[in-house]
Structures are given as structure tokens and as C-alpha cells.
Amino acid sequence: MSVRIKAVVDRFVKELKEALDADIQDRVMREREMQSYIEEREREVAEREAAWKAELSRREAEIARQEARLKMERENLEKEKSVLMGTASNQDNQDGALEITVSGEKYRCLRFSKAKK
């Protein structure tokens, strides 16, 4: 009788070990799948982040170029204005002359008259 009990216990232990081994294998496989999924998602996120940073850098460079172009255009406009319009300053001279500077040259106007329409 004890041989039969021993055989039943041995068979139970064997089946239990097989079930535990199968469970361990299943858990290891699920862990590998999960790790693979996590690595793939991290790679996707890193790629999107790199693309976003590249686009941001490109846009910042374009903004800097446009700002430089705008600054140059503004400086050119100021130069053109000073050349075309001249710089007029009313001096408190005793003779009441108006001094006008055009392209760095000073002109004095002693008499004024209204423009004819």
C-alpha cells in the first residue's frame, strides 16, 4: 500500500513540477514580449521626438533668417529715407534759416514760399 501511495505522491509531484515549469515558461515568454513591446514603443517615441526637434530647429533657423532679412530691410529703408528726404532741422539762427542735410551735405534756406497748387 505504501508503494501505491508513494507512486501517487511521485506522480502528483511530477505533474506539479511540470505545471510549475509550464507556468514559469509562460511568464518568461510574456515578460520577453512585454520587454520587446516597451523597447519598440520607446524607439517610436525617440524617433518622433528627434523629428520634432529637427523641425523645431529648422523653424528657429528660418525665423532667425527672416529676422536678419527684416533688420537689413529696415536699415536699408532708413538709409533710403535719409537720402530721399534729407534731415531737416530748424536752427535758432539769427537769420531764421532752415538747415537741411541731404546725403551728408548741408543746405541753408533763407526764404520760404508756399508751393503753388
Side-chain angles (χ1 to χ4, degrees), residues 7-20:
V8 169
V9 170
D10 287 346
R11 193 175 83 211
F12 175 75
V13 169
K14 180 182 173 194
E15 289 174 358
L16 186 60
K17 283 184 180 179
E18 288 173 356
L20 285 173

Side-chain angles (χ1 to χ4, degrees), residues 62-78:
E62 179 63 26
I63 289 170
R65 280 192 296 275
Q66 289 179 0
E67 286 176 342
R69 187 179 320 132
L70 180 60
K71 181 180 177 185
M72 189 172 59
E73 287 178 14
R74 188 174 287 138
E75 289 171 356
N76 288 340
L77 176 62
E78 290 302 319

Side-chain angles (χ1 to χ4, degrees), residues 1-69:
M1 180 101 161
S2 68
V3 174
R4 257 199 259 160
I5 293 175
K6 182 172 179 355
V8 169
V9 170
D10 287 346
R11 193 175 83 211
F12 175 75
V13 169
K14 180 182 173 194
E15 289 174 358
L16 186 60
K17 283 184 180 179
E18 288 173 356
L20 285 173
D21 287 344
D23 187 52
I24 290 171
Q25 291 297 330
D26 186 50
R27 287 176 188 233
V28 167
M29 189 181 308
R30 279 189 280 156
E31 180 66 29
R32 285 181 186 158
E33 288 174 354
M34 185 59 71
Q35 190 62 35
S36 176
Y37 173 78
I38 290 171
E39 289 170 358
E40 184 177 334
R41 291 290 294 141
E42 287 175 342
R43 192 172 32 257
E44 289 173 1
V45 169
E47 288 172 359
R48 278 191 307 211
E49 183 181 16
W52 180 82
K53 285 181 179 180
E55 178 66 16
L56 179 63
S57 177
R58 187 190 66 74
R59 287 182 180 188
E60 287 173 341
E62 179 63 26
I63 289 170
R65 280 192 296 275
Q66 289 179 0
E67 286 176 342
R69 187 179 320 132

Side-chain angles (χ1 to χ4, degrees), residues 91-104:
Q91 300 287 329
D92 189 15
N93 297 327
Q94 290 180 357
D95 60 2
L98 176 67
E99 287 187 358
I100 300 172
T101 305
V102 178
S103 299

